[in-house]
Amino acid sequence: RKEVEQDPGPFNVPEGATVAFNCTYSNSASQSFFWYRQDCRKEPKLLMSVYSSGNEDGRFTAQLNRASQYISLLIRDSKLSDSATYLCVVNRNFNKFYFGSGTKLNVKP
Amino acid sequence: DTGVSQDPRHKITKRGQNVTFRCDPISEHNRLYWYRQTLGQGPEFLTYFQNEAQLEKSRLLSDRFSAERPKGSFSTLEIQRTEQGDSAMYLCASTPGGTSGGSSSYNEQFFGPGTRLTVL
């Protein structure tokens, strides 16, 4: 079983839409959680960390459900520039990082 | 530029040749990671260093792969006798890290632009 699983998509949404991605992780001992964004043929960049109480950064909201072992990312008022692949990342023992395969988002005019 | 840098950005080689990649992390970061990424997949962990010590290697890393971080600063990843299956993007990342963990923000990874390897 993979450490981190994501729906690969693609999610095709119009500008202004709200879209949500989920990610599940297999190891309950995972301690830190992140969403990274990766543009085509570029390196991943941190979008936001995910905290137990949930956190928001502008149009982006991240939630963590430890009991069900899933993480979500909500994007409101989608922009064309949000088109990218979103990678779910978990960290255990503050050592190795496990990446999901990514969810591709296409925001269309 | 104070970010993570990697060299070269692109490498084309023939099967059987050896290649070496370099990564320069953010200067104050203790931890350095190497990943491999193929099309449609997320980065796969290869190995990581805490300062100069290599603490873990993935089972993905065959005997043909070796990594060093001799002075706890830059790192090199060498692939010997390359195979076509080695074609991928090789990413390096660094974090502030620490020996006893820390908050989520302390473990944010900063990636370099990657080295794209093509083995013909």
Side-chain angles (χ1 to χ4, degrees), chain A residues 34 36 46 94 97, chain B residues 4 25-33 48-51 69 72 93-110:
Chain A
F34 308 88
Y36 277 73
L46 179 69
F94 304 105
F97 292 80
Chain B
V4 179
I26 293 172
S27 60
E28 62 269 26
H29 284 184
N30 296 322
R31 289 200 173 170
L32 185 150
Y33 294 78
Y48 87 96
F49 293 83
Q50 171 77 31
N51 299 314
R69 194 182 182 197
S94 68
T95 74
T99 57
S100 57
S103 69
S104 288
S105 61
Y106 195 61
N107 288 286
E108 294 171 11
Q109 294 210 301
F110 296 83

Side-chain angles (χ1 to χ4, degrees), chain B:
Chain B
D1 187 354
T2 57
V4 179
S5 62
Q6 291 187 246
D7 182 69
R9 296 289 304 276
H10 303 275
K11 179 69 177 179
I12 300 174
T13 191
K14 292 183 179 179
R15 190 162 46 109
Q17 298 294 304
N18 298 344
V19 294
T20 299
F21 309 143
R22 176 179 169 126
C23 170
D24 286 87
I26 293 172
S27 60
E28 62 269 26
H29 284 184
N30 296 322
R31 289 200 173 170
L32 185 150
Y33 294 78
W34 284 100
Y35 293 90
R36 179 171 66 191
Q37 187 175 25
T38 53
L39 195 63
Q41 299 298 315
E44 293 178 290
F45 169 82
L46 293 178
T47 188
Y48 87 96
F49 293 83
Q50 171 77 31
N51 299 314
E52 67 275 10
Q54 187 174 18
L55 297 187
E56 191 166 345
K57 284 176 63 171
S58 166
R59 285 171 290 179
L60 292 174
L61 225 60
S62 75
D63 291 344
R64 299 184 296 106
F65 287 72
S66 62
E68 293 183 341
R69 194 182 182 197
K71 296 182 181 178
S73 56
F74 73 91
S75 176
T76 58
L77 177 69
E78 180 183 16
I79 310 174
Q80 295 182 324
R81 305 180 303 282
T82 52
E83 302 173 356
Q84 287 184 323
D86 297 332
S87 295
M89 175 74 88
Y90 290 83
L91 291 162
C92 174
S94 68
T95 74
T99 57
S100 57
S103 69
S104 288
S105 61
Y106 195 61
N107 288 286
E108 294 171 11
Q109 294 210 301
F110 296 83
F111 281 85
T115 295
R116 185 170 296 282
L117 173 66
T118 302
V119 182
L120 302 176

Side-chain angles (χ1 to χ4, degrees), chain A residues 38-53:
Chain A
Q38 187 170 28
D39 293 297
C40 189
R41 302 182 80 84
K42 298 281 190 180
E43 73 273 21
K45 292 186 177 177
L46 179 69
L47 178 66
M48 59 198 303
S49 301
V50 187
Y51 302 115
S52 296
S53 54

